[in-house]
Amino acid sequence: MINIDIGATAVAVLTLFGIYSLMAISLNLEYGVAGVPNFGKALFISIGAYTAGITYTRTLPLLAGFEAIHPCGPTMGGALQLRSEIMASQPAAGFINLALTFLIAAAVAGAVGFAVSYITLRLKEEWFLALVLLVGGETVRIVVRGADDFICSHNGISGVAQPFYFVEDPRSSALLFMLLALALALLAYVYSQRLIHSPYGRMLKGLREDEDITRGLGKGVSLARAQIMAVGSVIAAIGGALFALNTGFVNTNDYVVNLTLDVWVMVVLGGIGNNRGALLGALLIALLDRFTQIGAIALNMSGSELEFNYVRFIAFGLILIWMLRNRPGGLLPESRLTTNAHDVAKGLIGR
Amino acid sequence: MIKKLTVLLLIAMMMLSLGATAAAQDDMDIYVLGVALPFTGSFGTFGQDFERGIDLAVAEMNAELEAAGSSIRFETASADTEQTPEGAARALQTIVQTTGAQVVVGPLTTAEVLGAKQFADENGVVIVAMASSGPAASIPGDNIFRVIYPPDTFSSKAFATIALERGHENMVVLHVDDAFGNGMNEQFTKNYQANGGGEVAAFAYAPQSTELSTEAAAVSAALAGFGDTAGFFCVCFPGAAEAFVQVAQIDPVLTSVQWLGNEAMTSDEMLEDPGHAQTLANANFVTVSQSADTTPLTPIFNEAFMAMFDKEPGIFTNYAFDAANIAMLTMLAAGNDGAAVKSMLPFISNHYIGTAVQAFLDENGDQAIASYGIRQVLEDGSGFYVIGTYDGNNDTITYK
Amino acid sequence: MPPALLTTSLVNTIQIGSLYALMALGITLTFSVMKLPNFAHAEFVTAGAYAALIVSLSGVLNPLAIMAAAFVVGALTALISHIAVFKPLENREVSLYTLILASFAVGLIIRYILFLMADYFNLFDLRIGIPLTILFREGSLILSNLFAWVVPTSILLVILLTLLLNATPLGREMRALANNSILARVIGIPVERVKNYTWLLVGGLAGVAGALWGLQSAVNPLMGWAAIISVFAAAILGGLSSFSGTILGAYVVAFSENTLMLFLNFNFGVDLAYKPAIPFIIIIAVLLLRPQGFTEIFRRAGDLDR
């Protein structure tokens, strides 16, 4: 019996939209604006998530005035209980801890992104960077998975509650978290819009189109690329922290190549180089995921024998290929950049 | 383009709601039983098998309800966890927000269960897992119940006891590198060594490996290092287990020692290959599993499953059947309400005879009775037979 | 590291390296001729393995027949992917990343079509029904019939491929295309036809590799996907352009995953679970430190961009 709770569904989809938007905007900055093919998105997202896993187990108890309990092994249950109680009863500690999570995640991811961009200089061909990042992400995942005390290796860290966990009513709590995710996404959007439309942003796009010419114009190419990678990585890591909080669980199994591909699909679907396109792509993926799941439930209830869950993936692939073939610029293609000088020139020519 | 998509989405939503009204029969009380399982990915076959067990339980229950003149009917709503914790959370959310389900059977692995935990706890939805056995989800007071299938503390003890009884002075363990495999290895080693066992050399294989010749070589070398008195314990999932046996069957060391293996290794496909069957038979391969320790429900379940699907149930299918039954019985007793089901589920569970074992929950909401059948491969490799039983609560083996 | 282990792991290195070589040559060929890093290659392998499995389940146990079926199915899968997806995209002159994404999408589609099929006919984790027997045994050196199939088949196919590239008109045209596609078009090489043949060849080789891989392990829809990174590492070691470099790369990757991994495990206690990280590290190291791979060691016959 299908009985869609439209309010809760909307909140869940919009929360995912906010989180996906952060990821998509970050990739759009890196690839769409600066031309850095970041196929290691999952790595930067996971930095945010792993940071949350660490702060919730190490700093949260301290902020609430308790001694930290070792989160893994025999004391696992006690540590989980402690952080759940803190999140339920001490909202201030939760918020300070979240701010701390964002700070650490941003610092680490920014530094990694900055460093990674310099790798490009060493690479013979630009697309090698895509491959290096793709396998680099998996390597880090395998190493973290094997590290016993970091986020308890395979067991992961549960009870990484979102900051409004203390609100009794689950619907209000989810609504508040949705607002937080949307607010952060909006912030990232506004910031990256300003970045793109600044002279700096135009230089970056020039960099994407032709590195040699931009270099010839005397622009600091490598530094610009490094900065944009750092900014993009920070946004991705914040998205990653929210991603973990939304589930309440940090585990390496989530940060696989498929997550990277999902983010790419969002950007390609929406429109490479256009932030509004990235937002649209994020929204479409969040909606598509939910509605194909609902479709699978409805089909299953109607007694269909077809395993619709496989068909979902096939449909996903087909939509992507259709888009790449027929709408290579995405649903909202990048518009031509115009500046004041451009307008003046147009006026002079009289067109 | 965007307008078209929006229109499409709206039409899809309308059709869904229309379909829903049509499906809801007039004077029936429909109780929705959620099912969140990995239907895709490498555990997809497990998910599909589990779902069949659940479908059987629901069909039987509905038939009984109809015969008794009740107005209640059960209906399942199943969603794919994509075998990731975050996917499990999304699947659970979708099920609950789409159908109003208060009770969800699944997911499979401990990582998925923990992924679904936050949403379940906050929204008062009860999770009835049937195969998660890792210690990380042994948490008192939450909305997660892990019925029928006991934590690995029991089976690891059973394997340690059997290894010691077989006279293995040292052991080599090959295990899958995930929460289940690592937990099993740790607990096995602890139990084995606490009771007088010698050294344990453990090797992990990466999940989703399809080729295990490196691992087989390492195990073989470790066994050779220990000498004749060592035994081998494999904690492997079906695909990897077959790949392992495929390369192990010509290894002189691995074919001359005795093997133990977890229940998931004992799929029918394994014995279909004559070479594999012979290898396991020569190794006196022994496993422990609840399904071999028959209760009055076992043959009834097997026959009904054959009648409905025209095939044998998979290795864990009966656990899913039991979990669905416990969930449904609780809903019948407590009503279609998460809080009531949570409070009453231990009581119902503790009065339910499973297809494999009496259900009984401990304070963490985990199955607390473990009574395994010890099964060995027949000499001709055609199947398994029960050579004894292991009582997990008293740590005693009884051979037939 | 015990000597017996060394022997066994070296045998494994040769066996698995040969399989990697078969798969990696396809990647090198696609990249050279089509300028496409094709991640869907993994699924050509899986499709071939399923073709082999179905033929063997139907009662045909002749390895040659099984491999022929795998070749045909792999080749057709590759050709269909080309005609339906890659060709139209190339005609639009899309960016390399669009092609990479498209290859992931093609792989996803094929993978889940195989999932649908395997689910319907219950074909998960089955083995191709050729039993394993020991052909030769001397101390710890054991060679199986599988070894006797895998290694000579791979070597034979590699030799045939080299001959084809160097001694036939088609091979000459393929090399011309690899070297400079615009020039190739200008001098009147039937580019589309050459590309079609290349895809058939690439897919067929992948299919045969899948059949042999399925003899070694169990067939499931994820088997190719699980091996693709190792295979890419081999192709990258070959600089994505050199045949001989790719073959050497395949054995280097196999050696690192087997002998080197076991050496690290036995002597330094490195956990075997880190095995999947080895090809990753190889890729990163090669691309950063020596992007040309082994190409400069082999500036001879068999190089595609010569």
Side-chain angles (χ1 to χ4, degrees):
Chain A
M1 188 178 60
I2 303 278
N3 176 20
I4 298 179
D5 181 342
I6 294 178
T9 303
V11 168
V13 170
L14 287 176
T15 309
L16 268 189
F17 163 61
I19 296 168
Y20 287 167
S21 295
L22 287 165
M23 299 175 185
I25 286 173
S26 100
L27 180 61
N28 189 47
L29 273 182
E30 293 164 349
Y31 178 60
V33 179
V36 181
N38 192 347
F39 270 85
K41 216 64 236 171
L43 168 65
F44 296 95
I45 293 168
S46 72
I47 289 178
Y50 299 156
T51 308
I54 289 169
T55 54
Y56 271 73
T57 49
R58 271 73 169 191
T59 60
L60 180 70
L62 299 181
L63 287 168
F66 294 95
E67 220 165 290
I69 303 175
H70 186 63
C72 319
T75 52
M76 187 184 278
L80 169 63
Q81 203 175 357
L82 177 63
R83 61 180 170 271
S84 299
E85 274 165 19
I86 294 171
M87 288 309 290
S89 60
Q90 299 197 36
F95 281 111
I96 298 172
N97 191 61
L98 184 62
L100 195 65
T101 309
F102 285 159
L103 271 178
I104 298 174
V108 175
V112 173
F114 196 87
V116 157
S117 79
Y118 276 93
I119 292 177
T120 333
L121 301 177
R122 291 201 57 105
L123 292 174
K124 193 175 88 174
E125 282 179 52
E126 195 193 44
W127 79 273
F128 285 178
L129 183 62
L131 210 53
V132 166
L133 287 170
L134 185 77
V135 298
E138 275 291 289
T139 313
V140 170
R141 192 176 77 86
I142 290 171
V143 170
V144 171
R145 187 176 71 191
D148 280 337
D149 286 343
F150 193 51
I151 53 158
C152 303
S153 98
H154 309 81
N155 289 322
I157 304 281
S158 54
V160 181
Q162 49 109 331
F164 300 102
Y165 183 72
F166 65 92
V167 179
E168 286 271 328
D169 173 33
R171 295 180 82 98
S172 322
S173 159
L175 185 73
L176 287 167
F177 182 62
M178 175 199 82
L179 291 175
L180 175 71
L182 289 180
L184 285 168
L186 183 68
L187 206 66
Y189 172 73
V190 171
Y191 176 75
S192 58
Q193 277 302 89
R194 291 181 58 157
L195 195 66
I196 291 175
H197 291 287
S198 67
Y200 183 69
R202 287 197 294 279
M203 176 184 86
L204 287 169
K205 287 200 171 184
L207 186 61
R208 180 190 66 184
E209 297 302 330
D210 194 318
E211 196 173 318
D212 293 335
I213 290 179
T214 316
R215 209 186 285 275
L217 290 171
K219 311 281 188 187
V221 169
S222 352
L223 185 65
R225 205 192 271 263
Q227 282 169 340
I228 205 81
M229 265 303 282
V231 171
S233 306
V234 168
I235 298 177
I238 303 250
L242 290 180
F243 184 77
L245 261 48
N246 192 33
T247 314
F249 183 48
V250 182
N251 185 286
T252 51
N253 288 358
D254 277 325
Y255 306 97
V256 289
V257 177
N258 283 350
L259 182 61
T260 301
L261 294 182
D262 283 349
V263 183
W264 269 88
V265 172
M266 290 172 207
V267 173
V268 169
L269 210 60
I272 295 160
N274 182 347
N275 268 329
R276 271 179 300 157
L279 293 184
L280 178 66
L283 182 65
L284 282 179
I285 292 299
L287 283 173
L288 204 65
D289 177 71
R290 176 56 68 112
F291 278 96
T292 49
Q293 284 265 29
I294 293 179
I297 291 175
L299 264 182
N300 188 274
M301 280 186 164
S302 70
S304 158
E305 286 292 305
L306 183 75
E307 186 41 77
F308 189 70
N309 289 301
Y310 297 138
V311 181
R312 270 178 72 201
F313 286 98
I314 297 173
F316 190 74
L318 288 175
I319 291 175
L320 180 59
I321 287 174
W322 186 87
M323 285 295 302
L324 292 173
R325 269 184 64 168
N326 298 311
R327 287 249 171 175
L331 293 172
L332 294 178
E334 183 180 4
S335 56
R336 183 184 280 263
L337 269 179
T338 52
T339 61
N340 288 340
H342 185 259
D343 290 340
V344 171
K346 241 178 16 182
L348 284 175
I349 300 165
R351 276 200 294 149
Chain B
M1 184 66 209
I2 301 162
K3 271 186 190 160
K4 268 191 212 161
L5 274 173
T6 328
V7 171
L8 266 176
L9 281 175
L10 282 175
I11 291 174
M13 279 183 75
M14 277 170 61
M15 278 172 62
L16 280 174
S17 42
L18 278 178
T21 21
Q25 287 130 331
D26 306 329
D27 43 1
M28 289 291 166
D29 288 330
I30 303 287
Y31 285 10
V32 178
L33 184 67
V35 178
L37 286 169
F39 293 120
T40 56
S42 57
F43 285 170
T45 35
F46 278 122
Q48 313 273 4
D49 251 354
F50 283 5
E51 198 185 21
R52 284 188 204 104
I54 296 166
D55 284 346
L56 172 62
V58 171
E60 285 185 354
M61 182 64 82
N62 281 339
E64 291 293 328
L65 287 169
E66 193 178 348
S70 163
S71 65
I72 297 173
R73 295 290 182 277
F74 284 95
E75 195 173 32
T76 57
S78 51
D80 179 18
T81 63
E82 298 164 27
Q83 213 178 313
T84 62
E86 195 266 340
R90 264 187 291 125
L92 181 67
Q93 274 191 7
T94 310
I95 291 171
V96 170
Q97 292 166 353
T98 303
T99 64
Q102 294 285 301
V103 182
V104 174
V105 182
L108 200 161
T109 60
T110 303
E112 289 165 277
V113 168
L114 288 173
K117 177 178 156 59
Q118 171 167 292
F119 183 83
D121 284 351
E122 278 199 10
N123 294 274
V125 176
V126 174
I127 297 219
V128 188
M130 76 301 267
S132 150
S133 54
S138 294
I139 302 156
D142 64 1
N143 281 33
I144 293 170
F145 295 97
R146 301 193 291 175
V147 298
I148 288 292
Y149 194 78
D152 293 327
T153 34
F154 292 105
S155 62
S156 59
K157 219 189 262 178
F159 282 117
T161 310
I162 295 170
L164 289 164
E165 286 208 353
R166 281 182 154 195
H168 299 323
E169 287 174 15
N170 298 290
M171 286 298 289
V172 177
V173 180
L174 176 70
H175 65 86
V176 55
D177 187 34
D178 65 3
F180 158 71
N182 280 281
M184 190 73 134
N185 173 43
E186 275 164 31
Q187 290 167 25
F188 170 82
T189 307
K190 200 178 77 188
N191 288 314
Y192 176 71
Q193 292 179 336
N195 293 300
E199 261 187 83
V200 176
F203 299 95
Y205 73 86
Q208 288 162 31
S209 297
T210 51
E211 197 283 317
L212 275 85
S213 55
T214 318
E215 288 78 0
V219 167
S220 164
L223 283 166
F226 283 141
D228 295 341
T229 53
F232 170 55
F233 179 26
C234 193
V235 186
C236 310
F237 283 112
E242 273 161 61
F244 179 78
V245 179
Q246 173 66 11
V247 283
Q249 59 183 309
I250 54 162
D251 185 283
V253 184
L254 270 163
T255 45
S256 66
V257 297
Q258 295 194 314
W259 291 22
L260 303 172
N262 62 317
E263 189 181 358
M265 267 188 82
T266 63
S267 64
D268 293 335
E269 284 84 8
M270 179 67 97
L271 295 185
E272 262 172 36
D273 186 292
H276 293 186
Q278 205 48 53
T279 307
L280 292 185
N282 291 344
N284 287 328
F285 180 86
V286 159
T287 186
V288 303
S289 67
Q290 296 200 111
S291 52
D293 188 25
T294 49
T295 73
L297 260 180
T298 320
I300 302 174
F301 164 76
N302 284 333
E303 274 166 35
F305 193 93
M306 280 294 283
M308 187 162 170
F309 299 104
D310 199 25
K311 63 191 271 190
E312 300 261 331
I315 352 171
F316 294 110
T317 315
N318 56 323
Y319 301 146
F321 173 84
D322 284 339
N325 269 323
I326 292 174
M328 286 189 295
L329 290 170
T330 315
M331 287 163 87
L332 286 174
N336 191 8
D337 172 69
V341 168
K342 179 185 175 186
S343 110
M344 205 165 176
L345 195 133
F347 177 79
I348 299 288
S349 155
N350 298 351
H351 292 75
Y352 176 79
I353 309 171
T355 51
V357 69
Q358 165 67 45
F360 198 86
L361 296 178
D362 66 9
E363 73 281 3
N364 293 326
D366 294 344
Q367 168 73 10
I369 294 180
S371 161
Y372 299 102
I374 303 170
R375 299 192 302 157
Q376 185 166 349
V377 179
L378 287 163
E379 255 174 61
D380 61 357
S382 62
F384 287 92
Y385 70 111
V386 180
I387 57 167
T389 53
Y390 173 81
D391 179 351
N393 301 75
N394 299 311
D395 193 16
T396 49
I397 291 182
T398 320
Y399 287 105
K400 282 196 174 162
Chain C
M1 192 169 168
L5 182 59
L6 184 66
T7 322
T8 316
S9 74
L10 285 175
V11 170
N12 285 339
T13 298
I14 295 171
Q15 189 164 326
I16 290 165
S18 305
L19 287 170
Y20 283 171
L22 265 188
M23 296 188 231
L25 284 178
I27 303 243
T28 299
L29 206 54
T30 340
F31 188 77
S32 307
V33 178
M34 256 79 68
K35 311 286 176 250
L36 166 70
N38 182 19
F39 284 88
H41 198 75
E43 274 63 36
F44 303 163
V45 173
T46 320
Y50 264 103
L53 176 69
I54 290 167
V55 168
S56 88
L57 286 178
S58 73
V60 181
L61 287 182
N62 181 346
L64 285 178
I66 288 177
M67 280 192 274
F71 185 94
V72 171
V73 170
L76 288 179
T77 314
L79 188 65
I80 293 170
S81 309
H82 170 58
I83 291 172
V85 180
F86 297 124
K87 191 158 97 180
L89 283 177
E90 279 163 18
N91 290 345
R92 287 178 160 271
E93 298 188 348
V94 295
S95 77
L96 186 65
Y97 307 110
T98 307
L99 284 174
I100 294 180
L101 268 186
S103 81
F104 274 117
V106 169
L108 190 75
I109 293 171
I110 300 175
R111 192 151 71 238
Y112 279 98
I113 288 175
L114 289 172
F115 258 117
L116 266 181
M117 189 195 72
D119 179 50
Y120 193 81
F121 296 104
N122 210 1
L123 297 176
F124 285 104
D125 294 330
L126 293 182
R127 267 203 71 247
I128 295 168
I130 298 175
L132 193 68
T133 50
I134 296 175
L135 287 185
F136 174 85
R137 182 165 178 183
E138 181 69 54
S140 57
L141 177 66
I142 299 168
L143 300 180
S144 65
N145 59 337
L146 185 59
F147 187 88
W149 273 107
V150 168
V151 180
T153 310
S154 305
I155 292 173
L156 187 70
L157 285 174
V158 168
I159 292 172
L160 282 178
L161 195 62
T162 317
L163 281 178
L164 185 132
L165 277 174
N166 288 293
T168 65
L170 176 65
R172 209 165 38 241
E173 287 165 353
M174 277 161 75
R175 280 187 290 128
L177 203 55
N179 213 333
N180 188 332
S181 60
I182 298 168
L183 199 60
R185 215 178 277 271
V186 169
I187 62 171
I189 287 176
V191 173
E192 285 313 320
R193 204 178 51 116
V194 174
K195 280 189 176 174
N196 287 348
Y197 281 124
T198 313
W199 276 108
L200 283 174
L201 204 57
V202 163
L205 284 179
V208 173
L212 295 171
W213 193 249
L215 287 171
Q216 168 100 359
S217 67
V219 180
N220 67 55
L222 292 167
M223 58 185 288
W225 182 242
I228 188 73
I229 296 292
S230 301
V231 174
F232 250 93
I236 283 167
L237 275 170
L240 283 164
S241 61
S242 152
F243 257 36
S244 22
T246 302
I247 295 164
L248 181 62
Y251 288 109
V252 168
V253 172
F255 178 82
S256 316
E257 286 181 358
N258 286 281
T259 311
L260 181 65
M261 181 73 238
L262 289 169
F263 174 78
L264 291 174
N265 179 274
F266 264 80
N267 295 22
F268 301 100
V270 179
D271 204 317
L272 283 186
Y274 290 115
K275 187 173 114 174
I278 287 182
F280 300 154
I281 294 166
I282 291 178
I283 290 179
I284 296 174
V286 171
L287 290 183
L288 287 182
L289 305 176
R290 196 182 159 80
Q292 70 275 34
F294 295 135
T295 41
E296 275 160 28
I297 305 176
F298 302 95
R299 277 280 149 208
R300 301 185 291 106
D303 282 12
L304 280 160
D305 59 353
R306 141 180 82 107

